[in-house]
């Protein structure tokens, strides 16, 4: 087995151990919540894979997670942290809905691409704001994206409760905060009849391949990664660092905006309250678990899509708080980020093994890990 394959195998093992560690610590919280962790985890892992409904719902959740995760890969690889995907999803969703409902007489072959372009552009603009603030004014991107999330949320709620509210809600006096349905001719087709899984899954998978090609096979993608690897060295090499920071955040925002578009065109067919369902933050976890690689984000998104579906089933089966899945996700982030330290510093793994298993590990087994 080549050293490259050994490295990939080692990363997979470390990630699985990180996930196992997070679940073990999460079990302690389940015990504190007076729930049976074995039963809870049994439902969480078996439910999403137990029947057609569970599998298709997992794939429905996978689509926005993957699209957000691809944006996170781009921004993180470029050395800028995007915590604003939640707001960018909403910007994309409301942009797509506005175009779809206002141009309902336009043929579908024109309207559907226009909806995707509008949603992606709105997300890109919202992400690009944070990139520009970072590049020009050195504003911390974590702070700016978190604040932009709140601004986007309030604007979104204002629009679906006011200017874009469904006219039927006004005439009936119900006032449910949601827009009118987009034209049926631009609804994404169902891949499996009788389920919610839609053709947006194919779109997301193709986009993952295109992002991989862009980042690793093009000169512009190389420059983005060079800026992330070392901005000063990149600047010395003649790369316009500030421009690529804005580009990275705009692309990340565009990906999140597309996640909002597929939720509108493929699932809800309108903008409504609670549309995002936390995908903006869960997508970060999926990208980290996929080692910030576009292709690695695909299985990671499927895994966390299953966890989200399983969490809903777990809540109903064992009566635990819905926030518990957020605790488990937070633990996964903590353990995955910690695992990155061990992967970058193999000596620390050897020392840790020696501490708990004896000094002989350094000479007998530890060297094998270091050499792989």
């Amino acid at each position: 087995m080549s050293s490259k394959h050994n490295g990939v195998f080692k990363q997979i093992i470390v990630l699985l151990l990180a996930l196992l560690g997070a679940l073990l610590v999460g079990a302690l919280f389940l015990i504190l919540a007076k729930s049976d962790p074995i039963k809870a985890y049994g439902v969480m892992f078996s439910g999403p894979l137990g029947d057609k409904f569970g599998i298709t719902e997992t794939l429905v959740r996978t689509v926005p997670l993957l699209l957000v995760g691809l944006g996170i890969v781009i921004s993180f690889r470029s050395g800028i942290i995007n915590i604003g995907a939640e707001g960018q999803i909403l910007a994309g969703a409301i942009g797509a809905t506005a175009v779809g409902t206002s141009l309902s007489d336009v043929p579908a072959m024109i309207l559907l691409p226009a909806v995707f372009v509008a949603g992606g552009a709105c997300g890109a603009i919202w992400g690009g704001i944070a990139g520009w603030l970072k590049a020009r004014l050195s504003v911390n991107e974590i702070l700016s994206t978190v604040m932009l999330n709140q601004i986007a949320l309030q604007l979104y709620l204002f629009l679906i409760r006011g200017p874009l509210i469904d006219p039927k809600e006004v005439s009936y006096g119900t006032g449910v905060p949601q827009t009118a349905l987009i034209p049926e001719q631009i609804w994404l087709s169902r891949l499996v009849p009788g389920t919610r899984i839609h053709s947006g899954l194919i779109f997301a998978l193709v986009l993952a391949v295109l992002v991989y090609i862009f980042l690793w096979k093009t000169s512009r993608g190389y420059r983005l990664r060079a800026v992330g690897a070392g901005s000063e060295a990149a600047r010395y090499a003649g790369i316009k660092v500030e421009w690529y920071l804005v580009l990275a955040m705009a692309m990340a925002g565009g990906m999140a905006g597309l996640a909002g578009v597929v939720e509108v065109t493929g699932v809800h067919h309108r903008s409504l309250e609670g549309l995002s369902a936390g995908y903006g933050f869960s997508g970060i976890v999926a990208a980290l678990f996929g080692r910030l690689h576009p292709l690695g984000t695909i299985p990671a998104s499927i895994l966390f899509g299953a966890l989200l579906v399983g969490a809903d089933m777990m809540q109903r089966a064992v009566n635990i708080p819905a926030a518990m899945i957020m605790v488990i996700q937070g633990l996964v982030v903590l353990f995955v980020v910690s695992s990155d330290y061990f992967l970058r510093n193999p000596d620390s793994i050897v020392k840790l093994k020696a501490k708990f298993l004896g000094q002989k590990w350094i000479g007998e087994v530890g060297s094998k890990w270091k050499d792989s």
Side-chain angles (χ1 to χ4, degrees):
M1 186 179 291
S2 66
S3 59
K4 181 179 179 180
H5 290 162
N6 279 334
V8 173
F9 178 74
K10 182 170 68 175
Q11 289 192 31
I12 294 174
I13 293 298
V14 171
L15 285 173
L16 291 177
L17 290 175
L19 178 61
L20 178 61
L23 293 176
L24 289 175
V25 176
L28 297 178
F29 287 97
L30 288 172
I31 293 173
L32 291 175
K34 298 181 179 180
S35 299
D36 183 355
I38 296 177
K39 181 180 178 182
Y41 284 150
V43 172
M44 186 169 71
F45 286 105
S46 64
L49 304 176
D51 53 24
K52 184 173 74 172
F53 172 80
I55 294 173
T56 55
E57 282 300 305
T58 294
L59 295 177
V60 169
R61 303 291 186 96
T62 296
V63 176
L65 288 176
L66 178 54
L67 290 171
V68 170
L70 292 175
I72 298 300
V73 169
I74 294 172
S75 63
F76 279 39
R77 286 283 183 179
S78 304
I80 188 166
I81 300 173
N82 180 26
I83 312 295
E86 278 289 302
Q88 294 150 14
I89 289 173
L90 297 179
I94 203 67
T97 304
V99 171
T101 54
S102 60
L103 301 177
S104 57
D105 295 331
V106 175
M109 61 182 301
I110 298 175
L111 182 57
L112 184 59
V115 163
F116 270 80
V117 170
C122 288
I125 291 171
W126 207 253
I129 293 173
W132 184 85
L133 290 172
K134 171 72 173 181
R136 287 296 181 183
L137 304 177
S138 298
V139 176
N140 185 282
E141 69 272 22
I142 298 177
L143 180 63
S144 63
T145 50
V146 168
M147 290 193 297
L148 284 168
N149 277 345
Q150 293 302 313
I151 296 172
L153 174 61
Q154 297 306 318
L155 286 174
Y156 179 83
L157 293 176
F158 166 73
L159 290 172
I160 66 174
R161 290 173 177 172
L164 296 181
I165 192 172
D166 187 352
K168 292 181 180 178
E169 299 297 333
V170 177
S171 61
Y172 294 158
T174 51
V176 176
Q178 61 184 24
T179 65
L181 289 170
I182 60 174
E184 188 172 351
Q185 63 264 29
I186 62 170
W187 293 6
L188 296 181
S189 58
R190 295 284 188 251
L191 297 180
V192 180
T195 69
R196 297 201 305 165
I197 183 61
H198 51 79
S199 55
L201 176 64
I202 300 174
F203 172 74
L205 292 174
V206 171
L207 207 55
V209 176
L210 293 178
V211 170
Y212 165 72
I213 294 173
F214 171 75
L215 285 178
W216 270 270
K217 305 297 181 180
T218 68
S219 59
R220 197 173 294 275
Y222 170 79
R223 294 188 187 102
L224 280 171
R225 291 188 293 116
V227 170
S231 58
E232 292 303 319
R235 185 177 285 107
Y236 183 78
I239 298 175
K240 298 179 180 179
V241 174
E242 289 76 14
W243 157 250
Y244 280 99
L245 288 177
V246 177
L247 176 63
M249 282 300 292
M251 292 185 68
M255 292 293 175
L258 290 175
V261 176
V262 297
E263 284 298 287
V264 170
T265 56
V267 180
H268 304 291
H269 306 135
R270 68 170 89 215
S271 287
L272 70 170
E273 199 167 2
L275 176 137
S276 173
Y279 294 132
F281 298 114
S282 299
I284 298 175
V285 185
L288 290 173
F289 199 82
R291 307 304 301 169
L292 294 178
H293 193 286
L295 302 184
T297 306
I298 296 174
S301 298
I302 296 173
L303 172 62
F304 282 94
L307 288 177
L308 291 176
V309 174
D312 293 338
M313 295 180 176
M314 181 175 65
Q315 182 189 7
R316 293 191 297 266
V318 297
N319 194 27
I320 65 170
M324 187 59 67
I325 190 60
M326 298 301 296
V327 173
I328 296 175
Q329 284 185 353
L331 290 169
V332 171
V333 172
L334 179 63
F335 276 75
V336 169
V337 172
S338 300
S339 71
D340 187 65
Y341 169 80
F342 289 110
L343 286 171
R344 294 177 183 273
N345 301 276
D347 287 339
S348 61
I349 299 177
V350 178
K351 293 176 182 178
L352 192 62
K353 287 181 177 180
K355 180 178 180 180
F356 290 99
L357 301 175
Q359 293 294 327
K360 63 180 181 178
W361 273 87
I362 295 180
E364 296 179 2
V365 181
S367 60
K368 295 181 181 180
W369 181 275
K370 291 174 63 179
D371 296 335
S372 63

